[in-house]
Amino acid sequence: MKMVSAALALMLAGTWPTLAQEVAKAPPPGAFKAVSSLVKLPDFLPGMGQLFVDPATLPAGPFLAYDHDGKLVSTIYMLPIKDLNPNKRFDDLASPGGNVDHVSVYYNAGHPGVEEPHVHVVLWHVAKADEARVAK
Amino acid sequence: MLFFPQARATGNDIIDVEMHGKDDGAHVWFDPAGIHVEPGQTVRWTNRDPGNSHTVTSYHPDVFDRPLRIPANAKPWNSDYLLPGQSFSVTLTVPGVYDYYCVPHEHAGMVGRIVVGTPQPVAPSAVDPSLTPLPDVALNGFPPVDEIIAKGIVRRV
Ligand SMILES: [Cu+2]
């Protein structure tokens, strides 16, 4: 009952939460799970933050990365090097995080969850200086 | 001991090897990558990489169907994932050459080698097609046995 009236109130106000608003704070809704609950990894990864992913989208993601205050800082795609070839493509990857300030692309040797060399494509939703929020 | 006057990893019952990684995860490695120990000494691996999990896993048919790269009568091991700060130890009693790898990082060349005592040369065993062979990047990552025996410790940093 409470949920219905809340939804009704939102409708009357004409402000359904956008996708970006839904994932702006950790934990993101729906099928997203903390990566540290799926595989044995530290909960907070220096340089990335606290990661959430829908296991069905592995390995590419999107992974949603949050700072220590639970604020979304980036959306990360993890693309295995061996899949970057003429016969494979990644299409229609979801990007629920909203505005992108800048993008980083770099090699990663692998980690539990994506256990092979891959590329991180990072859509930063914060300014360059705010990358420091997930540095450690 | 006098036979091995150099930086040989002796004089202590526990020999430490650390797992390391660069901040962005681009490079991962065991340090040292090669060590020479006495039979009966214990090797302890500790994950010193704050941003990743690592394993130390022996090459053995009983562990993930891999080729045998430890002495035939030695016991295989697999640490499973070690979180930052966690350790795993193995005591090595059988002389010989022991090759090991990190499960998520074998394809990034994260491998190591231990020489226990003075190993006898071993004839390479026939290739068993049911076992998963090593990728080149792993094969190229083992320090040569001679170099490990000569130096005691071989680092790849
Ligand atoms: Cu590793």
Side-chain angles (χ1 to χ4, degrees), chain A residues 15 31 60 63 80 87 96 103 114 121 128 135:
Chain A
T15 53
F63 294 75
N87 304 313
V103 177
V114 187
V121 178
K128 177 84 187 161

Side-chain angles (χ1 to χ4, degrees), chain A residues 35-117:
Chain A
V35 167
S36 61
S37 73
L38 299 170
V39 295
K40 209 170 169 200
L41 263 180
D43 194 46
F44 194 94
L45 297 167
M48 284 193 278
Q50 188 190 20
L51 297 188
F52 291 82
V53 71
D54 172 354
T57 66
L58 284 171
F63 294 75
L64 299 175
Y66 294 84
D67 68 11
H68 289 285
D69 299 323
K71 284 210 205 112
L72 183 69
V73 291
S74 75
T75 300
I76 304 175
Y77 305 97
M78 303 190 181
L79 312 178
I81 304 277
K82 71 164 167 40
D83 289 336
L84 301 176
N85 67 56
N87 304 313
K88 168 104 186 166
R89 47 190 293 153
F90 294 91
D91 284 317
D92 305 323
L93 300 174
S95 60
N99 288 347
V100 175
D101 183 88
H102 63 289
V103 177
S104 302
V105 178
Y106 57 88
Y107 172 89
N108 182 285
H111 45 74
V114 187
E115 299 172 343
E116 55 192 331

Side-chain angles (χ1 to χ4, degrees), chain A residues 40-48 106-117 120 135, chain B residues 23-28 49-54 80-84 86 103-105 107-108:
Chain A
K40 209 170 169 200
L41 263 180
D43 194 46
F44 194 94
L45 297 167
M48 284 193 278
Y106 57 88
Y107 172 89
N108 182 285
H111 45 74
V114 187
E115 299 172 343
E116 55 192 331
H120 286 184
Chain B
D23 266 2
D24 63 0
H27 294 285
V28 285
D49 181 352
N52 215 328
S53 303
H54 300 277
D80 204 350
Y81 285 113
L82 300 177
L83 285 167
Q86 290 184 335
V103 167
H105 298 133
H107 286 268

